[in-house]
Amino acid sequence: MNSNFDRTISQEDVLKRRATLLQRLHIDGWLLLIILMLAAGSLFVLYSASGKHWDLLMKQASSFGLGIGAMIVIAQFEPRFMARWVPLAYVVGVALLMVVEIMGHTAMGATRWINIPGVIRFQPSEFMKIIMPATIAWYLSRHNLPPKLKHIAVSLVLIVVPFVLILKQPDLGTAMLILASGAFVLFMAGLQWRWILGAVAAVMPVAVAMWYFVLHDYQKQRVLTFLDPESDPLGTGWNIIQSKAAIGSGGVFGKGWLLGTQSHLDFLPESHTDFIIAVLGEEFGLVGACLLLLVYLLLIGRGLVITAQAQTLFGKLLAGSLTMTFFVYVFVNIGMVSGLLPVVGVPLPFISYGGTHLVTLLSGFGVLMAIHTHRKWIAQV
């Protein structure tokens, strides 16, 4: 017995000596490379989109540094350790959303932030993009799959509570992403098609109810503008009209870096946040936009590979949900900027300016790295 134990220890020592620095830090090299490519592209485009605003650029670079640091730290934790703390994280997340409801900081007509004067201002709803899929994955992984009706009901309650709190801020875009992240876990857990078809059938009456009892006037106007942006070209339709004009004027190869007219002449609102891909399309054309989509595709593909190789049910459900939610993130932003979807205020992942959402995104990929790299050590030893 002792000889077998000694042999196991010696094999582990050999594996650790052979491990590269990235493996020792539990960092997935492919994910890191793709993320660094997006970070470089973000700073490159943001410099032009912000009107050569160095302070904004430095803040974005700082957010990337903080987010990558958080990603590396999170990657060190084993998925089993994460799972133990998920219920507490959910309770804290919901509590912070309630604090926002009671005494949150209001800006631009929305109450979405907790502001500690002189210390920090952050958006708790961003953290729920990780906490929500982790919570549903934790709950369902403790039961036999496919989930039974009572487990589906509990999962829906867990999803609806933060969804409603975020919707009241109001923040429809983030609320829909939270809803999608939880729904993806249910789908991957083997949700029966009769429940999926039932949910699809319920979309219309739910949409009608939301239109009359939930959506604010400005959110209704966004839907009407989506259907006919030219009905108010100088008002609510301005953003989408200018966005499509910017993308179309870029042609195949674009006008060149720093040469975009729609953004630099202030025709394009929110050019450094939600509508930044319009700047990219104008200055780098179809080629630049396709290159960005290719990088996104590589990132999503890597996430799906990690999902397929996950060894635990919790890890598989969580990795799959984080990856597919990222896909929705990209799809919704590009869809709304190009006029295919209503404008819901969803930034373009890794490219748009922003602090909290950037740190949250990178933290999510830290979770993916933890699921993948810790799986490797277990498999090898």
Side-chain angles (χ1 to χ4, degrees):
M1 183 179 297
N2 289 336
S3 61
N4 291 335
F5 178 78
D6 293 339
R7 190 181 301 112
T8 301
I9 295 298
S10 62
Q11 289 175 349
E12 183 177 353
D13 291 338
V14 170
L15 289 171
K16 288 183 177 180
R17 283 196 296 268
R18 291 179 179 176
T20 65
L21 178 61
L22 289 180
Q23 289 174 329
R24 291 172 182 172
L25 292 176
H26 295 285
I27 301 298
D28 182 80
W30 286 110
L31 278 182
L32 180 62
L33 176 61
I34 298 170
I35 288 170
L36 291 178
M37 289 170 59
L38 287 171
S42 170
L43 299 177
F44 195 71
V45 177
L46 184 61
Y47 180 70
S48 177
S50 63
K52 305 178 184 180
H53 200 303
W54 271 105
D55 289 342
L56 212 64
L57 197 67
M58 291 299 101
K59 289 181 180 178
Q60 184 79 340
S62 299
S63 296
F64 266 113
L66 181 60
I68 290 175
M71 179 182 71
I72 294 173
V73 170
I74 292 173
Q76 309 311 306
F77 298 108
E78 292 186 3
R80 289 176 298 179
F81 175 83
M82 295 181 185
R84 287 199 295 267
W85 292 95
V86 163
L88 177 60
Y90 179 83
V91 172
V92 172
V94 171
L96 289 175
L97 291 176
M98 295 177 67
V99 171
V100 171
E101 175 70 17
I102 297 170
M103 50 184 294
H105 176 78
T106 301
M108 297 180 291
T111 305
R112 304 174 183 174
W113 298 270
I114 292 178
N115 187 27
I116 304 177
V119 181
I120 191 174
R121 188 178 77 174
F122 64 98
Q123 191 173 345
S125 59
E126 287 289 334
F127 302 132
M128 291 303 297
K129 292 176 182 177
I130 298 177
I131 295 173
M132 173 52 64
T135 301
I136 306 303
W138 167 81
Y139 175 73
L140 293 180
S141 65
R142 296 166 61 88
H143 304 282
N144 295 327
L145 299 183
K148 298 179 181 178
L149 179 59
K150 62 179 180 180
H151 300 143
I152 296 174
V154 172
S155 299
L156 291 176
V157 170
L158 292 172
I159 295 171
V160 167
V161 171
F163 172 78
V164 171
L165 289 173
I166 295 171
L167 198 62
K168 292 178 66 177
Q169 295 181 356
D171 189 353
L172 179 61
T174 302
M176 294 304 295
L177 287 172
I178 297 299
L179 182 65
S181 67
F184 277 129
V185 179
L186 280 169
F187 176 76
M188 295 186 62
L191 187 64
Q192 296 180 13
W193 278 103
R194 59 177 178 173
W195 299 114
I196 297 175
L197 294 175
V200 172
V203 167
M204 185 57 69
V206 169
V208 172
M210 288 185 64
W211 179 270
Y212 286 104
F213 302 108
V214 177
L215 295 184
H216 295 257
D217 289 339
Y218 79 93
Q219 291 171 330
K220 294 179 181 179
Q221 189 58 51
R222 285 179 175 178
V223 176
L224 296 175
T225 300
F226 158 68
L227 297 174
D228 186 13
E230 282 74 21
S231 62
D232 188 11
L234 298 179
T236 56
W238 176 266
N239 287 13
I240 190 62
I241 290 173
Q242 296 303 320
S243 172
K244 291 194 289 186
I247 295 173
S249 66
V252 177
F253 298 103
K255 298 176 179 178
W257 188 47
L258 303 177
L259 299 178
T261 54
Q262 298 296 115
S263 57
H264 287 279
L265 295 179
D266 294 330
F267 285 102
L268 182 63
E270 305 296 335
S271 59
H272 64 293
T273 53
D274 294 353
F275 287 83
I276 196 169
I277 196 171
V279 178
L280 185 146
E282 183 180 26
E283 297 188 354
F284 300 98
L286 178 64
V287 173
C290 288
L291 285 175
L292 176 62
L293 291 177
L294 176 60
V295 176
Y296 279 142
L297 184 61
L298 291 174
L299 192 61
I300 293 169
R302 186 59 182 168
L304 293 177
V305 169
I306 291 174
T307 301
Q309 294 180 349
Q311 290 184 326
T312 66
L313 181 57
F314 170 76
K316 190 177 292 289
L317 294 176
L318 180 54
S321 177
L322 289 174
T323 302
M324 295 309 298
T325 303
F326 180 81
F327 165 77
V328 173
Y329 219 130
V330 175
F331 178 80
V332 169
N333 178 270
I334 295 178
M336 74 178 193
V337 172
S338 59
L340 299 176
L341 294 173
V343 177
V344 292
V346 174
L348 186 63
F350 292 119
I351 306 297
S352 294
Y353 173 77
T356 307
H357 89 267
L358 188 55
V359 173
T360 304
L361 274 172
L362 288 166
S363 298
F365 281 99
V367 173
L368 281 177
M369 290 183 180
I371 292 171
H372 188 60
T373 58
H374 285 282
R375 163 205 162 272
K376 284 185 174 182
W377 276 110
I378 293 172
Q380 290 175 336
V381 175

